[in-house]
Amino acid sequence: MVYRLGAFDNFGLQPTLPDLEGDLLFLLDSSGSVSYYEFSRIKEFIAELLLPFTFGPHDVQTGIVHISTMPILEFPFDRHFSTGAIQHAIRNIQQVMGDTNTGQTISFAKEKLFTAEAGARPNVPKVLVWVTDGFSKGDVTQPMQLLKDMGVTVFIVSTGRGNYLELSAAASQPPEKHLHFVDVDDLGLITKELQDSIAAIIQAKRLKATDITASSFRLTWPQLLTRDTGYYILEYAPSGEPRRKVTKQLTGDHTSLVVAQLASQTDYEVVLIPESNEKYIPPQTTRVTTLEDVVSPAQILISESKPHSIRVSWSPILETVAAYQVMYGPLNDNLVQLQEVDGSLNSTVLENLLANTSYLVTVSAIYKSGKEKALSAKACTREEYSKIKHLHFEDLSPSSVKASWDPAEGDVLGYRVRCRRQAGSSTLLSVSPQIHSVLLSDLTPGSNSKVCVKPVYRARPGKGLCRMIHRQPASATGGYRHRQRV
């Protein structure tokens, strides 16, 4: 079995046509002259035709009315405001059958559908698409002309032969752009062309705001004037605060302006007044809401760096921030930890860190609206240092002793042992981290010597321990005695 992918299966995949505003009505031939197969293919065509449009009260609205013995409204303009809802509604359309009273349906559309009661909007472009098999009962030219006199643009898609003269007179001019004859199985060939033609008509011709930030937005509008035919008065103010109104005068060749220095999260009422010296042009209005003032922490300060902890501070503190998230992990590792801090605080201590390690610290401001902004910094923990403990000596001979010590903590690179003799030269020994004792010789009997042992780390030496050794004169007996440095 071959499965054909239709518009009903892929409505989430199509791009959106931007900046469109208009009321789009379909006259769907639902009479008995249309076969079930033809009717289903026409439904797919309408569904595919509507895929790229954005629907809403300020975008495109669409409705469908059946051509039958009596006009039957499937749904009005203000019923469905999403692509999914419209696709679902089209999928569920059932053929009515009956006669093909097209003229009566056109009159019904004029009197009942292009009205505020049916959701039609004033001052927006209006388009009618009539999909027919070419057969109709009664005159269609006159009622269609009344629709066109109202400003409605008429497209006709005929899947049968039909009367070319009658249909070309009913369609908007020129007929080569508004009248299509196509086999029901080839409707897809004209979909893109018809989409573009409709989009060109309902291209938004109104004042609108783009590039909206917390403190500015850009206004754009169609070219209503020239420098020679008039000028514009632009007025804007926060809603409900007319005393804060700002007024600007612009030359007639302007079609855009950036409005800046605005308050965040504020509704602004904007009025553009074209002052033409040729004809009256009505003012255009819009309402714009500036965004939340979402900023990342401007500065991160790393302080109180220790081998296993650091303090992270940031600024500024904003009232709109609900919390801060501090993510941190070693630069050369994928391990990341998270600490959450209340939005009223601006510092925290990160603990249980690795000594002598570079960390990437990221502070994210979590706003009450759910938005996030982040700033990162590099932090380094200090090397872990410790002092020598329990330095002691063992007498080996009248002129030599063995100096021993307990291992220092941390990443020790080695030890330095200095012996300052009261009589004789000093000695400096460097030993590996695995060695914890040295032999000190050439100690003169009856003299004092100072012995110091320091651990060596990558950044700097650790804290050492010093002790004095007193050697008995050669005639004395009883070994040696030592005293700790005061």
Side-chain angles (χ1 to χ4, degrees), residues 305-308 332 353-359 379-385 411 413 457-459:
S305 179
K306 298 177 181 179
H308 299 290
N332 57 353
L353 305 180
L354 300 175
N356 193 32
T357 303
S358 296
Y359 280 81
C380 297
T381 52
R382 290 187 178 275
E383 197 165 11
E384 190 169 28
Y385 306 115
D411 189 13
L413 299 182
Y457 295 92
R458 187 174 303 276

Side-chain angles (χ1 to χ4, degrees), residues 292 294 320 322 365-373:
E292 182 181 14
V294 178
T320 51
I366 311 300
Y367 285 80
K368 295 175 182 178
S369 63
K371 297 181 180 179
E372 299 182 21
K373 282 286 187 175

Side-chain angles (χ1 to χ4, degrees), residues 62 66 69 115 156 192 264 287 298 306 367 426 432 445 470:
T62 190
H66 292 271
T69 304
T115 63
I156 300 177
K192 180 64 167 58
S264 63
R287 172 179 288 188
K306 298 177 181 179
Y367 285 80
S426 298
S432 65
H470 177 71

